[in-house]
Amino acid sequence: MGKNGQLRLEITDVSYRPSLSAPIGMDVLDFTELLARGERRGIDLSAPQRPDFHHLIHVAEGTLRHRVDFTDCVVEAGGWLWVSSGQVHQYVPADLTTARGTIVIWQPGFVLAEPPFDQSPLLPTQPHARAALLTLRHLSDEYADLTSLPLDAHLQTLRMLLSVLLLRLSHVRPDPVSSAPADDTFRRYSAALERDFRTSHQVADYAAALGYSPRTLTRATLTATGTTAKQYLDARILLEAKRLLVHTDATAAAVSRTLGFAEPSDFAKFFRKREGHTPLEFRAAARGRG
């Protein structure tokens, strides 16, 4: 805990800061440049970081180990990984020196495509692998060419190419929860939840604020994620609880207050019911002392 009882966060919040030559909203870099940027900005890439922009990581050679919100991922040569804005993730810097690959970063809203509900690594087979790689090469070439087109046309070209790449990758994974894009009802619920989950824990409150019935929110959430609106809300609260327990020194009572629980005992019951352990048992296990 810090002064005045505030949480002493150990998660590094990373803001979008493109290279000087990059168009506003998107950037393309390789692993070597990522290491250099981390050093310039004083960011420990092995420590938990929460960027406010999306990452699409492609490994061309070697293997990249990556941790995304308590899930350990291994991205093999030819593989892809989408890390969404706001997710907490960590690199293995040694892998960035031995593997070779490309990272596309962009701010939310640069393209309309939304991250898939399942964000585990992808390893496309033909013809998806070839098509995705060709699109990435085209995107990288257009990104580097700042003189052939007016800026507005240049940005529009990049938006279209990134959208094509994300659309191609969205069809790599077999049997998605839904082949249809999330509808406006779910998008509004998800946005409201992300804003208010620390203070509002009831689906009925979101439904009333958004002008829907709880049943409508549940149908939309089931279609988009395969879970009910309540399960989706609880999962978001649980994820933030895990982040604070593992990546900060906050007490369980402080985490409870931060997440809007009336009493620490209510938080303990919520956490144990969904995780099978008390908050402090989870912290000890996650930190390797369980």
Side-chain angles (χ1 to χ4, degrees), residues 169-185:
L169 292 174
S170 73
H171 288 275
V172 169
R173 201 182 307 280
D175 301 323
V177 171
S178 172
S179 59
D183 66 11
D184 187 59
T185 300

Side-chain angles (χ1 to χ4, degrees), residues 11-237:
I11 302 171
T12 301
D13 290 319
V14 182
S15 59
Y16 178 75
R17 192 182 300 172
S19 63
L20 293 178
S21 62
I24 296 173
M26 198 202 85
D27 205 356
V28 180
L29 59 155
D30 60 20
F31 294 171
T32 301
E33 174 61 17
L34 175 65
L35 286 168
R37 289 190 188 188
E39 185 174 351
R40 288 196 299 269
R41 296 184 63 176
I43 298 172
D44 179 1
L45 296 178
S46 67
Q49 56 181 283
R50 182 173 11 213
D52 63 3
F53 48 91
H54 297 283
H55 291 62
L56 181 64
I57 303 170
H58 172 63
V59 177
E61 295 179 3
T63 299
L64 184 69
R65 290 166 292 173
H66 207 68
R67 174 167 249 213
V68 185
D69 275 328
F70 311 106
T71 298
D72 291 318
C73 304
V74 178
V75 190
E76 302 174 356
W80 302 76
L81 179 66
W82 183 338
V83 182
S84 292
S85 168
Q87 287 192 293
V88 175
H89 67 117
Q90 299 164 257
Y91 291 93
V92 177
D95 290 355
L96 294 171
T97 65
T98 57
R100 187 174 64 84
T102 302
I103 304 175
V104 183
I105 63 175
W106 69 97
Q107 292 179 294
F110 184 78
V111 293
L112 296 178
E114 298 175 348
F117 193 68
D118 180 355
Q119 290 180 261
S120 55
L122 292 171
L123 188 62
T125 56
Q126 301 299 351
H128 296 294
R130 179 177 177 276
L133 188 56
L134 285 173
T135 307
L136 177 62
R137 288 173 179 167
H138 193 175
L139 176 66
S140 299
D141 288 345
E142 291 288 347
Y143 166 81
D145 182 2
L146 295 174
T147 60
S148 297
L149 294 171
L151 180 58
D152 287 349
H154 180 60
L155 290 175
Q156 185 66 8
T157 300
L158 294 178
R159 288 191 178 97
M160 289 181 174
L161 287 170
L162 180 56
S163 296
V164 169
L165 176 58
L166 297 176
L167 180 60
R168 169 61 70 171
L169 292 174
S170 73
H171 288 275
V172 169
R173 201 182 307 280
D175 301 323
V177 171
S178 172
S179 59
D183 66 11
D184 187 59
T185 300
F186 174 73
R187 283 194 292 268
R188 293 185 65 201
Y189 174 53
S190 181
L193 184 154
E194 189 62 31
R195 183 184 63 244
D196 298 331
F197 72 88
R198 295 174 184 84
T199 56
S200 182
H201 297 176
Q202 301 300 321
V203 173
D205 294 338
Y206 292 95
L210 295 171
Y212 299 116
S213 70
R215 181 174 295 182
T216 296
L217 290 186
T218 289
R219 281 199 303 266
T221 307
L222 277 169
T223 299
T225 71
T227 64
T228 67
K230 178 59 174 171
Q231 289 169 334
Y232 186 72
L233 170 58
D234 287 351
R236 183 63 185 90
I237 298 169

Side-chain angles (χ1 to χ4, degrees), residues 224-278:
T225 71
T227 64
T228 67
K230 178 59 174 171
Q231 289 169 334
Y232 186 72
L233 170 58
D234 287 351
R236 183 63 185 90
I237 298 169
L238 183 66
L239 173 60
E240 199 66 24
K242 290 179 177 180
R243 289 171 172 171
L244 294 172
L245 287 166
V246 175
H247 300 311
T248 81
D249 293 329
T251 64
V255 174
S256 172
R257 288 193 298 272
T258 299
L259 296 178
F261 287 89
E263 298 291 339
S265 59
D266 295 336
F267 170 60
K269 291 175 184 176
F270 170 90
F271 194 95
R272 184 160 197 157
K273 179 179 179 181
R274 289 155 183 81
E275 190 60 29
H277 304 281
T278 68

